[in-house]
Amino acid sequence: MAILSVSISATIPNSHISRSNVSLKTSFLSNPLVNLRFFAAPNSKKNGMVVRMNYEAGVGVMGTKLGMMSFFEPDGKVVPVTVVGFKEGNIVTQVKTEATDGYNAVQVGYRRVRDRKLTKPEMGHLQKAGAIPMRHLQEFRLVSVDGFEANQRLVFDDLFKEGDLVDVAGTTIGKGFQGGIKRHHFKRGLMTHGSKSHRALGSIGAGTTPGHVYKGKKMPGRMGGTKRKIRKLKIVKVDNDLNVVMIKGAVPGKPGNLLRITPAKIVGKNIPKN
């Protein structure tokens, strides 16, 4: 069971930052779906800037990808949609506040499992909140956590409506070790006319100068299996009888994968303009 808990605060001299608003993607966090942003705090020192985590536009839920299908709108238009189902869960397991943890966040659990599937510390954490045993725990960092309490069940229909825009995050399908053509869309060589180079990578740099391969060179390697977020997808249909939701377009991962659904961040609507 993966528990996401991140709190970062640091001071960086202005001399090292050329702009007052710089985005930074992190790869060292347990959940790289959240970005960092540099911005001047109201009470910051003149020679420094404070690094703080971005907030979610609102609390979200977790779901399970079931597959894709075609949805016919009332006017007859065919829309490709991804069907997302919900297993037992989406229960608040912990409410973090500025006073107790230094930041405001809501921790949510998803997908019920048997007791023996969890360790005793994990079981103790969930029993403290009075929640059932659940496999996945994720946090949603919010500006305010008023109205949330432990063991509160989050209902998708209460948080999202048809026509809303959402951000969907998940793990992409793993492709294994792949060559340059499939991984980076390189063009192959001629298959005829005496060509000796077909799908090989080719030159990767000069020999004498610089005498080494530059970092970041596009080469064969592991493809897929990374976390991705698709932004601003439209909710086409919410079916309470089947307990599924249909989202327009494709989302990361294969059927059965865990998805994280949050309200889409729209500048000027649910997040302030910089």
Side-chain angles (χ1 to χ4, degrees), residues 4 19 26 43 48 51 53-55 72 81 95 115 118 131 145 162 176 204 219 221 245 254 265 274:
L4 171 62
R19 295 185 298 173
T26 63
N43 56 353
V51 182
M53 194 71 70
N54 270 356
Y55 295 101
F72 290 85
V81 297
V95 179
D115 296 356
L118 303 179
V145 292
E162 294 182 4
I204 58 174
M219 301 179 70
V245 60
K254 58 184 180 181
K265 292 183 179 181
N274 293 326

Side-chain angles (χ1 to χ4, degrees), residues 230-247:
I230 310 299
R231 300 185 181 275
K232 298 181 180 179
L233 297 178
K234 181 181 178 181
I235 297 178
V236 176
K237 177 74 173 177
V238 178
D239 194 325
N240 295 322
D241 296 334
L242 298 177
N243 198 25
V244 298
V245 60
M246 301 178 187
I247 301 176

Side-chain angles (χ1 to χ4, degrees), residues 145-191:
V145 292
D146 296 338
F148 294 99
E149 58 182 12
N151 204 25
Q152 175 184 350
R153 188 176 298 273
L154 302 178
V155 182
F156 186 89
D157 195 27
D158 296 338
L159 301 175
F160 304 96
K161 303 297 181 183
E162 294 182 4
D164 290 350
L165 299 180
V166 294
D167 295 340
V168 182
T171 303
T172 60
I173 300 176
K175 302 294 184 178
F177 194 97
Q178 297 296 334
I181 292 179
K182 182 171 182 177
R183 193 181 187 211
H184 300 294
H185 307 289
F186 289 167
K187 182 180 178 181
R188 65 168 175 81
L190 296 175
M191 301 302 288

Side-chain angles (χ1 to χ4, degrees), residues 4 6 24-27 29 31-36 53-56 139 141 229 231 260 265:
L4 171 62
V6 181
L24 172 65
K25 289 187 177 180
T26 63
S27 59
L29 299 177
N31 184 7
L33 302 174
V34 186
N35 296 338
L36 296 179
M53 194 71 70
N54 270 356
Y55 295 101
E56 296 285 358
E139 281 188 4
R141 180 154 183 171
K229 177 183 285 188
R231 300 185 181 275
R260 174 187 172 107
K265 292 183 179 181

Side-chain angles (χ1 to χ4, degrees), residues 1-263:
M1 180 174 64
I3 300 178
L4 171 62
S5 177
V6 181
S7 178
I8 297 179
S9 179
T11 302
I12 301 177
N14 279 333
S15 59
H16 292 80
I17 302 177
S18 58
R19 295 185 298 173
S20 61
N21 190 0
V22 182
S23 294
L24 172 65
K25 289 187 177 180
T26 63
S27 59
F28 57 89
L29 299 177
S30 59
N31 184 7
L33 302 174
V34 186
N35 296 338
L36 296 179
R37 174 166 293 180
F38 296 95
F39 63 94
N43 56 353
S44 62
K45 296 181 180 180
K46 184 177 180 180
N47 296 327
M49 301 186 74
V50 177
V51 182
R52 292 179 181 171
M53 194 71 70
N54 270 356
Y55 295 101
E56 296 285 358
V59 69
V61 296
M62 285 174 278
T64 303
K65 180 176 179 179
L66 301 181
M68 294 195 68
M69 61 175 288
S70 296
F71 178 81
F72 290 85
E73 294 184 342
D75 59 356
K77 182 180 179 181
V78 181
V79 178
V81 297
T82 300
V83 183
V84 180
F86 300 96
K87 298 182 179 180
E88 188 174 2
N90 282 321
I91 299 173
V92 176
T93 57
Q94 186 179 4
V95 179
K96 297 190 175 183
T97 62
E98 289 277 359
T100 58
D101 300 275
Y103 65 101
N104 295 324
V106 176
Q107 186 186 89
V108 180
Y110 178 72
R111 213 192 86 184
R112 181 168 189 165
V113 293
R114 285 177 285 185
D115 296 356
R116 65 184 182 88
K117 295 291 185 179
L118 303 179
T119 63
K120 288 186 177 180
E122 292 169 344
M123 285 294 301
H125 174 72
L126 296 173
Q127 289 174 356
K128 183 178 180 180
I132 59 176
M134 289 175 288
R135 168 63 63 191
H136 306 286
L137 293 182
Q138 290 194 12
E139 281 188 4
F140 300 89
R141 180 154 183 171
L142 306 174
V143 177
S144 175
V145 292
D146 296 338
F148 294 99
E149 58 182 12
N151 204 25
Q152 175 184 350
R153 188 176 298 273
L154 302 178
V155 182
F156 186 89
D157 195 27
D158 296 338
L159 301 175
F160 304 96
K161 303 297 181 183
E162 294 182 4
D164 290 350
L165 299 180
V166 294
D167 295 340
V168 182
T171 303
T172 60
I173 300 176
K175 302 294 184 178
F177 194 97
Q178 297 296 334
I181 292 179
K182 182 171 182 177
R183 193 181 187 211
H184 300 294
H185 307 289
F186 289 167
K187 182 180 178 181
R188 65 168 175 81
L190 296 175
M191 301 302 288
T192 58
H193 299 287
S195 173
K196 301 297 183 182
S197 176
H198 304 304
R199 297 178 65 91
L201 189 64
S203 174
I204 58 174
T208 304
T209 304
H212 63 88
V213 179
Y214 287 119
K215 289 184 178 180
K217 178 68 177 177
K218 294 182 179 179
M219 301 179 70
R222 182 72 64 85
M223 180 180 177
T226 57
K227 291 188 176 181
R228 289 290 182 271
K229 177 183 285 188
I230 310 299
R231 300 185 181 275
K232 298 181 180 179
L233 297 178
K234 181 181 178 181
I235 297 178
V236 176
K237 177 74 173 177
V238 178
D239 194 325
N240 295 322
D241 296 334
L242 298 177
N243 198 25
V244 298
V245 60
M246 301 178 187
I247 301 176
K248 183 178 180 179
V251 301
K254 58 184 180 181
N257 275 18
L258 177 71
L259 297 176
R260 174 187 172 107
I261 305 174
T262 55

